[in-house]
Amino acid sequence: MTSSSDPNVAFYGFTPVPRDPDILFANHPTATGKNPKQDLFVADDFPLPGSPLAREVAAFAKRELDENTFNHSRRVYVYGVALTKTHFPNWSYDLETYYIACLLHDIGTAEKFLATTKLSFEFKGAIVARDLILSLGGVEDQADSVCDAIIRHQDIFVTGGNITMIGQILQLSTILDNVGLRADLIHPKLIETTTKMFPRNGWSEHFAGVIEKELALKPWCHSTTFETPGWTEGVRSNFATDVRGNDVMRPFE
Ligand code: ZN
């Protein structure tokens, strides 16, 4: 079956879109200029999917992640869906699959997984996520879509080629929550209501600490793509510094 005749491609969010946001947003009708379109959405407009699978994955994420990361994972869902509704109204993907990708994208940073493997946290998390979805009866295409998105969710320096639609949404929304990038594509009221529903509670400092912890544990890890070549412990992390410098989200910390 070619990708164009397989309905699972579009349904599970595999539709290829450019990886580089500069290309994705070039000459974009609503996302460019000084005042991009901001639909007046609030967090309540994006209820979390409540299927049995979504609920079981959420219970797993709540159990394994600290509260800060669990809240971040749910904010990322809201921001991603809102952003696509406003700026990519024709994008079609299964909300449950995107939600599961959000819930599990940082599962590799959980205490149970971060220091118990030499794998970079995204790769370990992607494997954990894929195994979990399959064990809960999810279909393989759904498990693979989530797995692919999690593996690549911090691959933000790649300028060539494509990424899955769900992978792109996850990249845009995680970087929005973590460093405030392109936060002007969503309405301030959405940030206000989402951070009220899923509080940051000092997320910037918390996540910067997680980055530093992984760099120290695994100085070969994928997160070092943000750092100078040959990074060693003791050198200030560019990535952690960017996360701590998230001025957009500072009022909501
Ligand atoms: Zn994250």
Side-chain angles (χ1 to χ4, degrees):
M1 199 183 282
T2 64
S3 67
S4 56
S5 63
D6 179 353
N8 279 6
V9 169
F11 186 79
Y12 289 115
F14 288 99
T15 304
V17 298
R19 202 319 291 170
D20 186 350
D22 286 345
I23 293 169
L24 190 70
F25 289 120
N27 305 312
H28 190 285
T30 58
T32 48
K34 273 207 159 79
N35 296 299
K37 188 179 178 199
Q38 295 178 337
D39 284 327
L40 178 48
F41 290 131
V42 293
D44 280 333
D45 293 327
F46 306 100
L48 304 176
S51 66
L53 178 64
R55 288 231 276 263
E56 284 190 80
V57 172
F60 177 87
K62 188 176 178 5
R63 190 165 66 241
E64 299 298 342
L65 294 171
D66 56 63
E67 196 185 345
N68 259 326
T69 311
F70 187 50
N71 284 353
H72 158 68
S73 304
R74 292 178 293 172
R75 288 194 302 273
V76 160
Y77 173 77
V78 173
Y79 296 154
V81 179
L83 197 148
T84 52
K85 267 209 160 36
T86 299
H87 300 289
F88 300 102
N90 299 325
W91 281 19
S92 162
Y93 56 95
D94 175 43
L95 288 176
E96 179 196 75
T97 305
Y98 177 59
Y99 177 51
I100 291 173
C102 292
L103 286 171
L104 298 176
H105 82 281
D106 281 337
I107 200 74
T109 66
E111 203 167 323
K112 190 167 168 184
F113 306 117
L114 185 67
T116 56
T117 176
K118 292 180 178 54
L119 266 179
S120 300
F121 90 83
E122 304 93 324
F123 307 154
K124 176 68 180 182
I127 294 168
V128 169
R130 190 177 186 282
D131 288 347
L132 177 71
I133 295 163
L134 293 176
S135 76
L136 294 173
V139 305
E140 190 166 342
D141 282 341
Q142 182 177 39
D144 284 346
S145 178
V146 169
C147 184
D148 204 282
I150 296 176
I151 288 173
R152 293 187 68 181
H153 87 269
Q154 295 211 113
D155 238 351
I156 65 164
F157 300 108
V158 174
T159 54
N162 297 334
I163 187 167
T164 68
M165 185 176 281
I166 277 180
Q168 181 60 270
I169 304 168
L170 187 61
Q171 288 191 347
L172 291 171
S173 56
T174 50
I175 205 105
L176 192 160
D177 197 50
N178 288 337
V179 281
L181 197 64
R182 299 186 191 87
D184 60 351
L185 298 184
I186 56 174
H187 200 284
K189 198 82 192 160
L190 180 67
I191 298 178
E192 194 186 309
T193 52
T194 305
T195 52
K196 196 167 180 195
M197 192 176 280
F198 308 121
R200 291 181 66 87
N201 289 331
W203 169 248
S204 296
E205 184 54 40
H206 179 90
F207 185 54
V210 172
I211 294 161
E212 287 166 341
K213 190 173 171 189
E214 192 190 29
L215 290 173
L217 280 168
K218 309 170 199 174
W220 53 83
C221 70
H222 183 262
S223 289
T224 61
T225 56
F226 291 80
E227 312 302 337
T228 49
W231 183 91
T232 52
E233 201 174 353
V235 175
R236 196 167 80 144
S237 160
N238 294 334
F239 190 14
T241 302
D242 284 353
V243 168
R244 286 195 177 97
N246 186 350
D247 292 331
V248 175
M249 299 299 173
R250 205 173 306 284
F252 307 102
E253 287 292 274

